[in-house]
Amino acid sequence: WYQRRVRDIDNHGFLIRFISPDLNYGSAQDLPSAMAAITAAKSGGKQGSNHVLEVNVLKPMYPITTEVLHTIASPHGRVLRIVIHNRGEAKVESLIEFDGLLSADNCMEAINGADVYAGCCTLDVSYSKAQSLNVFKNDDDTFDYTDVNPAVAA
């Protein structure tokens, strides 16, 4: 755990204080369970937490593309894939896959209820039941940001 040691050095009228922590680590077997506990604590144990978010854009008065969704989501975590699967007059339904639960949680907290454009394109974000997304081509409706093959990109 953590123990603090304080050392004072008096150097020609200047007092310098060193504080050095002593950290004691458990065995390597404890690391996966500790990381799982930290992730669960940071996510607040939210019901149905997942690294794939369902993002519904309500009142879409302007075009919503994978580029728009990537611009909105990427500041909150690493986006792996985006799929827009249903476009309608009332809403645009999409899925965004992140690299981990913490990124998805950060994004959900930051953008849920926000407007993409002033007064319209309101984001309604929830956890998806999907565990991963399949993308076969990169275009305005689907995009795989892990694909390094530029020939596939639109």
Side-chain angles (χ1 to χ4, degrees):
W1 292 83
Y2 176 77
Q3 179 182 5
R4 202 165 90 171
R5 292 185 182 172
V6 178
R7 291 183 289 181
D8 293 334
I9 298 174
D10 186 7
N11 188 9
H12 304 290
F14 292 101
L15 181 66
I16 301 171
R17 177 167 281 178
F18 292 94
I19 302 173
S20 60
D22 286 338
L23 301 175
N24 295 324
Y25 298 99
S27 66
Q29 292 95 4
D30 295 338
L31 189 58
S33 60
M35 292 303 293
I38 290 169
T39 302
K42 286 185 177 181
S43 69
K46 296 174 185 156
Q47 188 70 3
S49 294
N50 191 358
H51 70 284
V52 179
L53 296 180
E54 183 175 331
V55 179
N56 294 318
V57 183
L58 310 175
K59 302 181 286 181
M61 295 176 61
Y62 299 101
I64 301 297
T65 64
T66 55
E67 184 178 351
V68 170
L69 293 174
H70 187 262
T71 301
I72 293 165
S74 62
H76 310 290
R78 183 167 176 251
V79 175
L80 301 181
R81 294 170 197 86
I82 296 176
V83 174
I84 300 174
H85 58 87
N86 193 8
R87 293 181 181 273
E89 288 185 31
K91 70 178 176 180
V92 172
E93 297 175 356
S94 65
L95 296 169
I96 302 176
E97 181 180 354
F98 287 90
D99 64 342
L101 181 60
L102 190 56
S103 296
D105 285 342
N106 289 340
C107 185
M108 184 172 179
E109 289 177 18
I111 70 172
N112 191 27
D115 289 343
V116 178
Y117 302 102
C120 68
C121 301
T122 304
L123 300 172
D124 178 29
V125 184
S126 61
Y127 294 107
S128 173
K129 293 179 183 175
Q131 292 300 311
S132 65
L133 301 178
N134 294 322
V135 173
F136 300 105
K137 63 179 180 173
N138 291 339
D139 59 18
D140 285 345
D141 289 334
T142 60
F143 211 99
D144 185 347
Y145 295 95
T146 64
D147 187 2
V148 294
N149 184 0
V152 177

